[in-house]
Amino acid sequence: MGKDKKSGDKSSGGKGKGGDKEASGGKSKGAQSINVRHILCEKHSKKEEALAKLNEGVKFDEVARTFSEDKARQGGALGWKTKGSLDPAFEEVAFALEASTTSAPKFAEVKTGFGYHIIMVEGRK
């Protein structure tokens, strides 16, 4: 009978949700759509070749035209995509990227059921 737990025992330290600063501070975390490009390679070795070209300073769209096995082949452009419209693994990586340009791309890699992707984002909104 005398084993009531005290409601004042808080182990969280009262911090609440950790993302409050980012949500109000800027667009980078809160984008709902991105203008995205990718290079899709079926084989890991081909993706590595494409990465080498990017690291040598070749423009992203040129590398995409040469190496991407995506049907679009328009410099890897997928256009504006909203959250929930892409493969979940691809989307997680893409929405975390900073916007950059094809001549100075900031890119990331991810493997999906489609193959190996090298992703860059040109715009966020």
Side-chain angles (χ1 to χ4, degrees):
M1 281 193 190
K3 293 190 176 190
D4 291 351
K5 291 188 178 181
K6 293 183 180 178
S7 61
D9 185 21
K10 292 182 183 169
S11 59
S12 69
K15 286 192 174 185
K17 295 177 185 165
D20 292 345
K21 289 179 189 169
E22 293 173 15
S24 62
K27 288 183 184 175
S28 66
K29 294 287 181 194
Q32 292 302 306
S33 62
I34 52 172
N35 188 3
V36 64
R37 288 181 183 263
H38 78 145
I39 299 167
L40 173 63
C41 300
E42 199 173 297
K43 294 194 166 130
H44 184 267
S45 58
K46 190 167 183 179
K47 185 239 346 161
E48 291 297 315
E49 285 182 60
L51 275 176
K53 291 291 183 192
L54 289 172
N55 289 326
E56 289 169 14
V58 180
K59 290 175 73 175
F60 192 95
D61 53 338
E62 291 174 23
V63 176
R65 277 190 208 87
T66 305
F67 289 91
S68 187
E69 296 165 8
D70 185 10
K71 292 178 214 120
R73 289 223 177 227
Q74 299 170 333
L78 297 175
W80 286 97
K81 298 293 180 185
T82 57
K83 276 196 173 170
S85 68
L86 297 163
D87 178 275
F90 183 104
E91 188 170 288
E92 183 179 343
V93 171
F95 273 87
L97 275 169
E98 271 181 70
S100 61
T101 63
T102 56
S103 56
K106 293 180 182 174
F107 51 86
E109 307 170 51
V110 68
K111 185 177 190 310
T112 70
F114 299 100
Y116 298 91
H117 303 264
I118 303 168
I119 306 167
M120 73 157 286
V121 172
E122 289 186 287
R124 304 171 66 83
K125 61 183 178 184

